[in-house]
Amino acid sequence: MAAYGVGLLEIETARDRIADVVSATPMVASPSLSTRANQPVSIKFECKQRTGSFKLRGATNAVRALSQDARAAGVVGVSTGNHGRGLAYAARSAGARCIVCMSELVPENKVRGIEAEGAEVRTVGRSQDEAEVEAKRLIAEHGMTYLPPFDHADVIAGQGTLGLEILEQAPEATTILCPLSGGGLISGVALAAKAIRPDLRIIGVSMARGAAMHASQEAGRPIEIEELPTLADSLGGGIGLDNRYTFAIVRDLVDEIVLLSEEEIAAAIRHTYWEEREIIEGSGSVAIGAVLAGKVALDGPAVLLVTGRNIDMALHHRIAGGEVPEV
Ligand SMILES: *Cc1c(COP(=O)(O)O)cnc(C)c1O
């Protein structure tokens, strides 16, 4: 697997490197989804990870892989969401400075969420692009290191530790369903899982509204598509026209990509609340949504990866009550 610049060895190294920060999250059998799918279905509740999402794994591995000097200079991220939170926590745990750049339009609660994990937030300009200009300035003028959310070997290796954990907790699984955006998570999971169990099926799930990786795979190369508002907001954004890792790994190792409507995402959040009794965000719910919608045929025990829980609680309340809110 060295062909991709990251593989099982790097994932095993990552597991040791992040063990004191990252918790092993619960794997729970779901009787209701098992009945529906006619196969044993388990849910991997990675939403219970510290900072509320798996992003902590990749960020912690990437920060700890830096040299002493680079760590002392600090890290920069551009994120309003789970990557920002994970990076902030990862940097603090390594004693590194962390600045997260975002646009002035980002809601105050998101800014506070990232500050609460220990990062400095810098709000500049009125768009993500302007936030990126500020990040580049920090890198050039202060020697800080930019850490991206998915297309980075150490980030992918960190997310891959989730693949190892799933295989240990559910060795009988024949299929893993995994939320998919830029593909750092599914790349790591697929590299780990297929190195150990080449026959395991890996299925990616995205929202239909703005699925950049799916569109890129169809086109045969990374392409840009319009970003649309969706209940799966952590799955938005492109994969980068200069994508180095995740496009090729998804092309080679992911067996299928399934797309969900907003109604199907809302149904998954609702099901998880009423039947599984857990609060999860839209992006975290899509693997459950794919099974609920009958969009995957299972040929044996399946693991559904739930990736995050950082949802606005007023929005969650409306969805749990039966709405499919326009966002
Ligand atoms: C980032 C994120 C994803 C997608 O991860 P990628 O590595 O970009 O594919 C899925 N779910 C949640 C909750 C996330 O924060």
Side-chain angles (χ1 to χ4, degrees):
M1 301 260 179
Y4 300 111
V6 48
L8 185 59
L9 189 65
E10 288 75 20
I11 295 169
E12 283 170 342
T13 303
R15 185 169 53 180
D16 295 339
R17 216 187 249 144
I18 70 178
D20 63 320
V21 174
V22 164
S23 16
T25 49
M27 173 86 72
V28 179
S30 168
S32 67
L33 291 172
S34 301
T35 302
R36 194 166 306 230
N38 237 333
Q39 292 289 350
V41 172
S42 300
I43 303 175
K44 171 69 169 164
F45 281 109
E46 178 69 8
C47 50
K48 295 187 182 286
Q49 188 57 258
R50 223 168 266 185
T51 74
S53 89
F54 72 89
K55 292 270 192 337
L56 182 65
R57 295 179 186 252
T60 301
N61 188 48
V63 171
R64 292 188 172 195
L66 294 174
S67 69
Q68 282 293 350
D69 285 354
R71 251 195 258 183
V75 297
V76 182
V78 179
S79 164
T80 62
N82 289 331
H83 173 59
R85 286 182 189 230
L87 187 61
Y89 193 100
R92 185 166 58 178
S93 85
R97 183 179 184 194
C98 176
I99 301 180
V100 177
C101 302
M102 57 187 78
S103 123
E104 284 162 3
L105 302 179
V106 170
E108 189 54 32
N109 63 330
K110 292 210 166 182
V111 174
R112 277 198 306 270
I114 288 170
E115 281 173 346
E117 302 291 6
E120 298 164 47
V121 171
R122 195 149 303 177
T123 54
V124 269
R126 316 208 38 95
S127 70
Q128 167 99 354
D129 289 352
E130 287 175 75
E132 275 166 23
V133 170
E134 173 65 6
K136 288 195 183 119
R137 191 189 66 78
L138 291 167
I139 297 156
E141 291 179 17
H142 301 280
M144 299 181 81
T145 301
Y146 173 67
L147 288 179
F150 57 87
D151 202 30
H152 186 289
D154 297 320
V155 172
I156 293 168
Q159 321 303 29
T161 61
L162 201 37
L164 298 179
E165 210 172 287
I166 289 171
L167 289 188
E168 281 165 15
Q169 291 174 319
E172 71 290 353
T174 62
T175 306
I176 298 174
L177 275 84
C178 180
L180 168 62
S181 175
L185 173 64
I186 205 168
S187 292
V189 167
L191 285 167
K194 294 214 169 177
I196 297 166
R197 293 258 318 276
D199 57 325
L200 217 134
R201 277 166 78 216
I202 308 286
I203 299 177
V205 191
S206 303
M207 67 295 170
R209 290 173 65 84
M213 181 61 87
H214 178 260
S216 297
Q217 294 295 338
E218 295 279 294
R221 66 191 159 81
I223 60 168
E224 265 170 9
I225 63 165
E226 193 190 347
E227 196 171 337
L228 299 167
T230 168
L231 291 171
D233 56 334
S234 301
L235 301 186
I239 69 164
L241 292 178
D242 53 353
N243 188 289
R244 288 182 59 197
Y245 299 96
T246 61
F247 176 81
I249 299 172
V250 170
R251 179 191 63 209
D252 295 351
L253 301 184
V254 172
D255 296 277
E256 193 183 332
I257 299 175
V258 171
L259 302 181
L260 297 190
S261 69
E262 296 300 292
E263 288 75 16
E264 288 163 342
I265 295 167
I269 294 173
R270 200 175 298 127
H271 167 92
T272 309
Y273 182 67
W274 293 107
E275 300 289 329
E276 318 293 341
R277 304 186 175 222
E278 299 287 350
I279 290 168
I280 63 174
E281 62 179 286
S283 307
S285 79
V286 292
I288 290 176
V291 168
L292 275 179
K295 287 193 164 168
V296 282
L298 300 178
D299 59 358
V303 172
L304 315 186
L305 182 45
V306 169
T307 44
R309 65 161 180 232
N310 293 321
I311 186 169
D312 178 78
M313 286 307 291
L315 180 67
H316 188 279
H317 189 75
R318 289 168 61 194
I319 296 169
E323 273 184 66
V324 183
E326 288 273 343
V327 287

